[in-house]
Structures are given as C-alpha cells and as structure tokens.
C-alpha cells in the first residue's frame, strides 16, 4: 500500500484537506463528523509511523519541537483551565501525529502535488460557493452548524463575522469581501497565497501544464484581491522579498558574493522598514486598516496583562481558546462576537506557556527557518549521473514558512491546524535533510 501511487497522492491530500479547510468541514458537516474523520485519519497516520519505525525515531526529531510539545503537555499540571488544556492537547497531538507522518512518509514533491490538489479544490469550490450564494440565494448565509458557545438568537442583527457567506461577491469592487467555504476572508486569502506559492513552484518545476498552471495562478491572485486581507498582502510582500533574495543567493557562487547579497538585502529591508514606519498612517490606509490594526492592539493589551500575572510558565496550553472556560468566556469581543485567539501567535504562546514557552517556540520557528533557508539556497551534492542544479521544489518549505511567520503577527494560526502542521512538516523534513 505504501508504494501505491494512488495512496501516495490521496492520503496526504485528505490529511491536508482536513488541516487546511477545517473550518469548511465544521461549518458544513459539524464538529462530530469533523472529529470522527480527523481521528480516523490520525489513526492511519499513527499506523504509517509504526510501519516505518525503522526510518525515524525521537532522537532524529527537532529538539525544539520535542521541548515545545513536552512543555505544552506538562502545563496541564499548572493550568488555570485543566479541562480546556486536555482538549487543546488532544487537538495539538492529533495535528502533530498527522504532520510527522506526512513528513516521514512522503517526499517534498509528493506533498507539493497533494497541496496543489487540495488548494485547487478549496479555491474552486469557494468561488462556486460564493457565486451560488450571490446568484441563487441572494442573501447572507449562516453556517449549517454554528460556532460552539455562540447564542445566535441573542443578536438583533447578526454580525458578518458569524456568517458563512456575506453575499458580497458582486460587491468586491466596493467594500465587499468573499469568505469562501472556510467562512473567513483572511483564511481564504492566506490559502490563496499558499496556492500561488504551490502553483508557481509546480510551474517552475514543470509538474503541471502551462495553460492549467497559469490559469490557477490567476485564479489564486484574483481570490486574494477579492478577500482584501491586509495580513495576506503583507505576507505576500514578505514571500516575494525572500524569494528574490533566495534566487540571488542561489545564483551567486562565491562566499564573498553571497555576503554582498546579504548585506545589500539587509540594507534595502532596513530602509523599507524605516519608510514604512514613518509613513505608517498612509500604509494602514492603503491596507484598509485602522491605526489599532482593527482592534488587535486592544486584544494584545488585554492578553499581555494576563500574561504578566503568570509570566514564567503561563496559564496553560489551550491552542485555540475554549469559549466556555475562564478567562476566555468573557475576555475579548469584536463587533459583539467573542474572540477565540489573541490574533498574534507570539502573544498567545507567551500567555499560554509563559516566557519559557515563548523562548522554546521562537527556537522551534527560528531553527526551522534557518534549515529551510539552507534547504533552499545551498547547492545540492551531485548524484551519480545527475546534473548539478537547484530544484524549484526546494523553495517550498522556505516560502511556506515565511508566509506563516508573517501571518503569525496578526493571527494565531501558527499554533493551530494548518499553521502548526506545516511548521512541523518543515521542521521535521528539513532536519532530515530531504531535498526533494
């Protein structure tokens, strides 16, 4: 079974569909169905790890990853909300088992193909979904299964945040934003950014035809424009800058030349950061954001205030906040909707695991970034009979991780679902030094 081409495409595609489009599963089929499918796939992932136990061991896993998981697990002993921590640990370990299984079992090229398949499905169905709502229903659409802890009947006028679709496809040239099957503009926009990375690499490595490849690239770019996500716009800029620098370094053969590229790039980035800071009001205006980042500064202040009460080891791991547990039950509201994240991964980690956990998590992400960079720019050793060249596929972990890190400053996705899963995949596979 492990060598079956169908299995090697469809299993990672299913696992990635659960991780990338978890919101779509929950909004359409409910939490129980989503949970059952997730557990079934995780059991299969555990079986894959057992079958390949000779190919991996804990010693070969990234040390910061093991430290982070250990700290999150033992935090249940000092957690302010042990029940919520137990639930958070269950979901975290389910994600990690699936991610490690994908990292150990499948090559980068196979994961690239599975990602391409899933992202085409999510983007295509999302646009058809929004078209159906605007052409046929012609009104806002609530999810089939609502969010836990939300009393929909308590609202006189339901906020747009609670809608599956806000019926704004035909208003995207005005103030409208589409949300797709994931029910969130920022999430859909970020998936479209991942799609541009994946589709671009597939085109560059000739894994897809030109007509299909460019067609899907245009569709992904159009999706980003229609979601109007400032976070995704900034993340896309970050990915573009890193890509340009990586390509310049790959073309430079001498250590002195690479040093010149690094110094020049650092100078340009510092100058750009200074200009952005000086013109920050104008930048916020162009991105469609207020000076408080659409209320995020207020959220961060509240969460940081709680962190200061337990600075060393935090309040206990929970991943996404649980709406029925104190202090999340009445901590932050935006537009009358209870928020279930700090909208900043680093603030969230410091709150949940304290400064110790924040240092460990920084080490995890930093080590993964360094290894992903080396993976992307270091010239591979020549195998017998093979040409000496870089493959476009080696850029995949770097660009995906850069997008996630930029997103992490306004969203907490890096510690949940697709964010954590992709981080673990990159950390494990780059530690194993698997190029393709």
């Amino acid at each position: 079974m492990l060598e079956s081409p169908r299995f090697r495409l469809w299993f990672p595609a299913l696992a990635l569909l659960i991780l990338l489009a978890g919101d779509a599963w929950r909004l359409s089929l409910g939490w129980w169905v989503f949970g059952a499918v997730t557990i079934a796939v995780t059991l299969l992932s555990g079986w894959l790890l057992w079958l390949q136990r000779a190919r991996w061991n804990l010693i070969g896993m990234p040390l910061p990853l093991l430290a982070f998981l250990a700290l999150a697990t033992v935090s249940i002993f000092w957690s302010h909300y042990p029940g919520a921590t137990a639930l958070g640990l269950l979901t975290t370990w389910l994600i990690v088992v699936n991610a490690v299984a994908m990292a150990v079992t499948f090559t980068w090229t196979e994961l690239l193909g599975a990602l391409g398949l899933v992202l085409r499905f999510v983007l295509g169905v999302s646009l058809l979904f929004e078209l159906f709502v605007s052409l046929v229903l012609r009104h806002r659409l609530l999810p089939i299964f609502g969010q836990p802890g939300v009393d929909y009947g308590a609202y006189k006028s339901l906020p747009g945040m609670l809608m599956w679709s806000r019926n704004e496809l035909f208003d995207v040239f005005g103030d409208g934003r589409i949300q797709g099957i994931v029910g969130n503009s920022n999430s859909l926009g970020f998936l479209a950014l991942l799609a541009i990375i994946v589709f671009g690499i597939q085109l560059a490595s000739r894994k897809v035809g030109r007509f299909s490849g460019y067609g899907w690239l245009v569709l992904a770019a159009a999706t980003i424009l229609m979601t109007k996500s400032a976070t995704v716009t900034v993340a896309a800029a970050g990915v573009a800058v890193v890509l340009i620098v990586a390509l310049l370094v790959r073309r430079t053969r001498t250590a002195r030349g690479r040093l010149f590229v690094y110094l020049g790039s650092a100078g340009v980035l510092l100058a750009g950061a200074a200009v952005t800071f000086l013109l920050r009001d104008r930048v916020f205006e162009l991105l469609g954001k207020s000076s408080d980042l659409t209320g995020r500064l207020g959220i961060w202040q509240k969460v940081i205030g709680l962190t200061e009460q337990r600075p060393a080891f935090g309040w206990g791991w929970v991943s996404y906040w649980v709406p029925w547990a104190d202090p999340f039950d009445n901590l932050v509201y935006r537009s009358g909707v209870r928020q279930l994240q700090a909208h900043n991964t680093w603030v969230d980690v410091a709150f949940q695991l304290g400064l110790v956990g924040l240092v460990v998590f920084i080490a995890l992400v930093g080590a993964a970034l360094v290894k992903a960079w080396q993976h992307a720019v270091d010239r591979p050793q020549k195998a017998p009979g093979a040409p000496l060249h870089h493959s476009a596929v080696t850029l995949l972990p770097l660009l995906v991780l850069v997008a996630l890190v930029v997103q992490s400053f306004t969203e907490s996705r890096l510690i949940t679902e697709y964010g954590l899963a992709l981080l673990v995949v990159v950390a494990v596979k780059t530690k194993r030094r698997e190029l393709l």
Side-chain angles (χ1 to χ4, degrees):
M1 184 183 74
L2 280 177
E3 301 305 321
S4 166
R6 287 187 178 181
F7 174 80
R8 299 190 72 84
L9 173 63
W10 288 104
F11 178 76
L14 176 59
L16 288 167
L17 181 61
I18 292 171
L19 292 164
L20 292 170
D23 289 322
W25 286 79
R26 294 186 290 269
L27 295 173
S28 60
L29 299 175
W31 281 84
W32 290 108
V33 172
F34 172 73
V37 174
T38 301
I39 291 173
V41 172
T42 306
L43 290 174
L44 186 51
S45 291
W47 182 59
L48 290 178
L49 289 174
W50 172 256
L51 289 178
Q52 301 174 103
R53 57 192 179 277
R55 295 189 61 236
W56 73 280
N57 53 59
L58 289 179
I59 297 176
M61 294 291 104
L63 181 59
L65 173 61
L66 297 178
F68 176 74
L69 292 173
L71 183 62
T73 301
V74 300
S75 74
I76 195 171
F77 294 110
W78 65 78
S79 174
H80 179 74
Y81 30 75
T85 294
L87 180 61
L89 286 172
L90 173 63
T91 60
T92 296
W93 277 104
L94 289 174
I95 292 168
V96 170
V97 169
N98 280 297
V100 173
M102 284 191 288
V104 170
T105 307
F106 305 102
T107 67
W108 280 119
T109 300
E110 289 170 333
L111 291 177
L112 177 71
L115 275 168
L117 184 65
V118 170
L119 290 169
R120 285 178 176 85
F121 175 81
V122 172
L123 295 189
V125 174
S126 289
L127 294 177
L128 290 174
F129 168 72
E130 291 286 358
L131 191 62
F132 172 78
V133 171
S134 294
L135 282 179
V136 179
L137 298 183
R138 299 183 181 181
H139 59 73
R140 301 195 303 173
L141 179 66
L142 276 170
I144 299 174
F145 293 89
Q147 299 179 24
V150 176
D151 182 5
Y152 288 81
Y155 293 92
K156 292 182 179 180
S157 177
L158 286 169
M161 289 184 187
L162 296 179
M163 293 294 161
W164 193 1
S165 171
R166 289 178 289 197
N167 182 28
E168 294 181 346
L169 177 63
F170 295 151
D171 192 33
V172 292
F173 293 107
D175 297 327
R177 305 171 67 192
I178 65 170
Q179 300 182 173
I181 58 173
V182 294
N184 183 282
S185 298
N186 292 329
S187 295
L188 180 62
F190 189 80
L191 293 179
L193 175 57
L194 289 182
I196 287 178
I197 294 170
V198 170
F199 300 163
I201 291 174
Q202 286 183 319
L203 267 171
S205 56
R206 299 180 181 178
K207 303 294 182 184
V208 294
R210 283 179 173 269
F211 180 80
S212 172
Y214 283 113
W216 280 104
L217 266 178
V218 170
L219 192 65
T223 301
I224 290 179
L225 293 176
M226 288 188 287
T227 58
K228 299 180 182 177
S229 171
T231 297
V232 173
T233 301
V234 175
V239 169
V241 169
V242 170
L243 174 61
I244 291 170
V245 176
L247 292 177
L248 287 174
V249 172
R250 283 166 69 138
R251 289 176 174 272
T252 306
R253 297 181 177 274
T254 65
R256 184 176 180 179
R258 286 192 168 190
L259 178 61
F260 178 79
V261 171
Y262 286 134
L263 291 176
S265 301
V268 172
L269 287 175
L270 288 174
V275 171
T276 301
F277 177 77
L278 293 173
L279 302 177
R280 56 190 179 279
D281 291 336
R282 178 59 176 163
V283 171
F284 286 141
E285 182 182 344
L286 290 173
L287 293 175
K289 290 291 182 182
S290 57
S291 58
D292 69 342
L293 297 175
T294 319
R296 283 177 171 83
L297 290 182
I299 297 174
W300 301 344
Q301 289 172 356
K302 286 188 176 182
V303 177
I304 290 172
L306 289 174
T307 304
E308 291 172 347
Q309 298 178 25
R310 292 187 170 197
F313 292 97
W315 288 64
W317 181 249
V318 70
S319 185
Y320 258 151
W321 300 351
V322 175
W324 56 82
D326 177 69
F328 310 121
D329 55 351
N330 196 33
L331 182 57
V332 177
Y333 284 84
R334 283 177 56 200
S335 302
V337 179
R338 183 190 290 115
Q339 298 299 293
L340 301 181
Q341 57 161 314
H343 288 280
N344 183 301
T345 296
W346 315 95
V347 170
D348 234 337
V349 171
F351 164 67
Q352 296 181 36
L353 296 179
L355 297 180
V356 174
L358 180 60
V359 169
V360 172
F361 191 73
I362 289 173
L364 168 60
V365 176
L369 272 173
V370 170
K371 290 186 178 299
W373 178 264
Q374 294 171 342
H375 182 93
V377 304
D378 288 345
R379 190 172 291 275
Q381 295 295 319
K382 183 179 179 181
L388 184 61
H389 69 282
H390 285 292
S391 168
V393 179
T394 59
L395 290 166
L396 178 65
L398 175 64
L399 300 183
V400 166
L401 193 52
V402 167
L404 287 169
V405 169
V406 176
Q407 182 199 43
S408 72
F409 290 98
T410 55
E411 302 287 340
S412 296
R413 290 278 182 177
L414 194 54
I415 55 175
T416 63
E417 293 192 286
Y418 68 75
L420 180 59
L422 293 174
L423 171 61
V424 171
V425 169
V426 171
V428 172
K429 288 191 77 64
T430 53
K431 175 70 181 295
R432 291 163 64 88
R433 298 183 179 181
E434 297 178 12
L435 289 177
L436 302 175

